[in-house]
Amino acid sequence: MKAKALLIANVFLFLVATLLLAAGQTSFWLQVFGYFPPPALWIPALVYIALFRSTMSAVIVSHLIAIALATATSMPEGLMMISCLAVALSVQIFKTRFYWTATTYFMLVSGLATLVFHIYQFAASWIISDHPLTSPALSSWIIQALLTPLFAPLLFPVFRWFDQITHRTEPPEITGAYTV
Amino acid sequence: MNFFAFDLRKLLIVIAVIALPILSINMKRNPGEDPWYSRPFSWFVAASQGGYSSFTSGVRGTTSMYLNLMGIKKDNLRMQRENEELRAQLGALAELKLENERLNSLLQFKLNTKMELLAAKVIARDLSPDHESIRINRGYRHGLRKLMGIITVQGVVGYVLATEMETAQILVLTDRSAAIDALVQRTRARGLISGKDANSIRLRYLERADDVGVGDAVVTSGLKGTFPKGFPVGKVTSVRKTDFGISQEAYVEPVVSPSNLEEVFVVLNSGGEDFNEKLATGFGAPLLSKMNAPGNPQGVAPASAPETAVKTQ
């Protein structure tokens, strides 16, 4: 019973953090830097979940994240869910091919995930949307993909702390026991 | 005893020694002239004193300069701080002045229209750079409902997509899923405005035979009362007509740039306002002239109130 409560608390914390980060990206950044493309601050949360959870957990949490974040965009919810899911699965596949225990890895994957999120969203809009993306904001994609890794190292300890306070076992990848 | 047995050489030396001061006193009778033998000493003393004087004055000067520099450095730091504070105040004042002008123009606009408007501030933008929506600080508690029109003094911004208690999500007309009924002002050709990218929109489903040209103003149709009739939307930049098909499409540059929005109006009730009449009487002339003015994407309208304004609410 307690284990379930802790699991729910963990997911809840990640959802709240994701929403706070998204709000910071869309509102705080706007007030400070105007309409200059912001970093995709919520992507590291999705990346963390994809890296250090089982595939089933990652799929469920990515859907929850997508549903939560759809309120902050005019993007259709389904498109958001498909894009997030594709990112989470891509990160898991990438991890089976390349992995090293360092902050640089989390930074690299966060940057790549930001870029592929836009690519998946672009592709998915042509497949499932009535209004496909004809003029992608390529410069914003690149700026976001470059800015996001800069914030990833700051967020990583926070996510680890979430895991600690909800008594989640430290992933072997973090403790160093994990080998590809 | 040999009284005379003295040393003459010693005697001469003693006499000379005794005589020297007398001789010196005697030679000093003319005080205007230094005796020849004292000149080298005098020169040496003068040179030494001069040297010491220069040295001490140099040291004193350097010390004084150092102390002054310390003072100057402190003064400099203080003045730099003051300068920064003044600059910050100046920047804040300039910002306030611009905001004042902007709000004044919004107020004048609100006072001179039949529409029931609610001013709102843009508080957030879309999560995705490929979607164009904004969030404003007004929600259903303030009377906002879905599909209510959003405008600035300059032209159409979009419409309400979703409402929360204190905020609302606005779909900007540059979003590709946006749809606003619009007319070509000159020929009254009717079409549907939807977004193309962040900076341009399309007027779709124009009849193939419709007369549409580059530079034509596109205005709202006023259908359903979401927007006032004849309110500026944009200006045609190109027309695309394929070899076959029953419709044509025009690319339009929006009057309002969504990337510079700060304050907007929610059209709670358009009140049957017809801007075609106002344009004819000169009210809309500044709006349309702004459409053609380069480098003014912000919705800043002329500060003075139009004289031809209709009833004030």
Side-chain angles (χ1 to χ4, degrees):
Chain A
M1 185 65 189
K2 193 187 172 189
K4 276 186 183 173
L6 286 172
L7 178 66
I8 291 168
N10 185 270
V11 173
F12 178 75
L13 279 176
F14 270 94
L15 277 181
V16 170
T18 309
L19 282 175
L20 285 176
L21 290 168
Q25 175 190 330
T26 56
S27 188
F28 181 73
W29 186 274
L30 174 75
Q31 312 303 328
V32 179
F33 299 104
Y35 281 85
F36 186 79
L41 293 176
W42 60 275
I43 290 265
L46 181 63
V47 168
Y48 186 90
I49 292 291
L51 282 176
F52 305 123
R53 298 285 188 278
S54 67
T55 304
M56 185 52 73
S57 298
V59 167
I60 292 168
V61 177
S62 87
H63 281 333
L64 290 174
I65 285 176
I67 291 166
L69 291 182
T71 55
T73 173
S74 62
M75 192 191 302
E77 205 170 73
L79 191 61
M80 188 77 182
M81 287 173 83
I82 285 178
S83 305
C84 285
L85 181 64
V87 169
L89 295 178
S90 301
V91 168
Q92 289 212 330
I93 292 167
F94 184 78
K95 184 185 163 187
T96 59
R97 298 285 180 275
F98 308 97
Y99 188 80
W100 63 92
T101 49
T103 313
T104 48
Y105 183 80
F106 190 64
M107 289 171 73
L108 173 79
V109 178
S110 294
L112 288 175
T114 307
L115 193 62
V116 297
F117 171 79
H118 292 305
I119 294 168
Y120 286 140
Q121 181 210 327
F122 173 74
S125 82
W126 280 92
I127 299 165
I128 62 163
S129 176
D130 295 334
H131 308 283
L133 180 54
T134 50
S135 307
L138 288 173
S139 57
S140 296
W141 291 11
I142 293 165
I143 292 170
Q144 275 203 332
L146 292 173
L147 284 178
T148 306
L150 301 179
F151 292 85
L154 304 174
L155 299 172
F156 188 76
V158 179
F159 299 148
R160 278 191 70 184
W161 181 65
F162 288 166
D163 280 354
Q164 280 169 8
I165 59 172
T166 52
H167 298 177
R168 275 196 73 88
T169 319
E170 287 251 294
E173 297 89 333
I174 295 178
T175 54
Y178 178 84
T179 49
V180 178
Chain B
M1 287 184 58
N2 186 2
F3 181 77
F4 298 100
F6 57 86
D7 192 343
L8 185 63
R9 194 161 150 259
K10 283 184 181 173
L11 179 66
L12 284 175
I13 288 170
V14 170
I15 290 170
V17 167
I18 294 168
L20 267 177
I22 298 166
L23 194 66
S24 172
I25 291 165
N26 190 41
M27 289 176 79
K28 279 267 183 182
R29 274 185 302 190
N30 188 355
E33 285 181 13
D34 284 337
W36 59 267
Y37 58 83
S38 70
R39 280 181 195 161
F41 302 112
S42 165
W43 174 86
F44 185 79
V45 167
S48 302
Q49 286 176 337
Y52 276 124
S53 172
S54 299
F55 177 72
T56 51
S57 111
V59 169
R60 205 183 311 113
T62 308
T63 311
S64 162
M65 192 190 291
Y66 177 73
L67 292 173
N68 283 339
L69 277 175
M70 294 282 282
I72 287 169
K73 195 178 173 186
K74 279 181 188 168
D75 285 348
N76 193 24
L77 283 171
R78 183 176 52 79
M79 286 166 82
Q80 271 182 358
R81 273 199 301 272
E82 280 178 12
N83 193 24
E84 281 165 13
E85 282 172 14
L86 289 171
R87 274 174 186 275
Q89 284 177 7
L90 192 66
L93 281 174
E95 186 67 25
L96 276 176
K97 185 170 174 263
L98 286 172
E99 189 179 1
N100 186 32
E101 285 174 3
R102 216 166 50 232
L103 293 176
N104 190 37
S105 68
L106 292 174
L107 182 65
Q108 294 300 336
F109 178 78
K110 192 177 176 183
L111 288 174
N112 291 291
T113 176
K114 284 189 283 186
M115 288 186 285
E116 195 183 330
L117 300 173
L118 179 70
K121 191 172 161 55
V122 176
I123 56 167
R125 61 180 295 192
D126 199 286
L127 189 72
S128 164
D130 294 310
H131 291 80
E132 302 294 331
S133 73
I134 53 173
R135 191 168 283 278
I136 58 171
N137 64 343
R138 304 286 183 195
Y140 62 72
R141 197 172 71 81
H142 306 96
L144 265 71
R145 298 288 176 270
K146 265 190 172 184
L147 303 180
M148 276 182 170
I150 305 293
I151 60 173
T152 66
V153 175
Q154 221 176 6
V156 173
V157 173
Y159 53 87
V160 178
L161 184 67
T163 55
E164 305 296 328
M165 186 191 279
E166 296 289 342
T167 64
Q169 193 179 11
I170 309 303
L171 191 64
V172 180
L173 79 170
T174 47
D175 191 282
R176 56 188 191 279
S177 57
I180 296 170
D181 198 58
L183 299 172
V184 175
Q185 192 185 38
R186 181 174 60 86
T187 60
R188 318 308 291 171
R190 174 170 253 150
L192 195 69
I193 283 286
S194 63
K196 181 174 172 284
D197 56 47
N199 299 311
S200 60
I201 50 181
R202 293 180 296 179
L203 183 60
R204 300 158 77 192
Y205 310 121
L206 287 163
E207 284 187 21
R208 196 173 175 79
D210 282 340
D211 178 15
V212 184
V214 173
D216 276 344
V218 177
V219 296
T220 51
S221 68
L223 201 72
K224 290 187 178 177
T226 304
F227 293 101
K229 196 172 180 181
F231 202 64
V233 174
K235 189 176 69 174
V236 175
T237 53
S238 64
V239 180
R240 182 167 159 261
K241 192 186 281 188
T242 51
D243 294 336
F244 50 87
I246 57 167
S247 65
Q248 58 178 327
E249 185 173 279
Y251 292 122
V252 178
E253 182 191 355
V255 177
V256 178
S257 170
S259 60
N260 285 309
L261 290 169
E262 285 184 48
E263 292 100 11
V264 294
F265 277 127
V266 182
V267 184
L268 296 175
N269 183 0
S270 67
E273 185 81 281
D274 188 350
F275 274 84
N276 290 314
E277 295 166 10
K278 291 194 169 187
L279 289 168
T281 54
F283 180 90
L287 296 178
L288 290 180
S289 69
K290 288 278 175 186
M291 286 169 67
N292 299 320
N296 185 24
Q298 178 62 40
V300 179
S304 59
E307 294 297 323
T308 54
V310 292
K311 187 179 79 180
T312 302
Q313 284 198 335

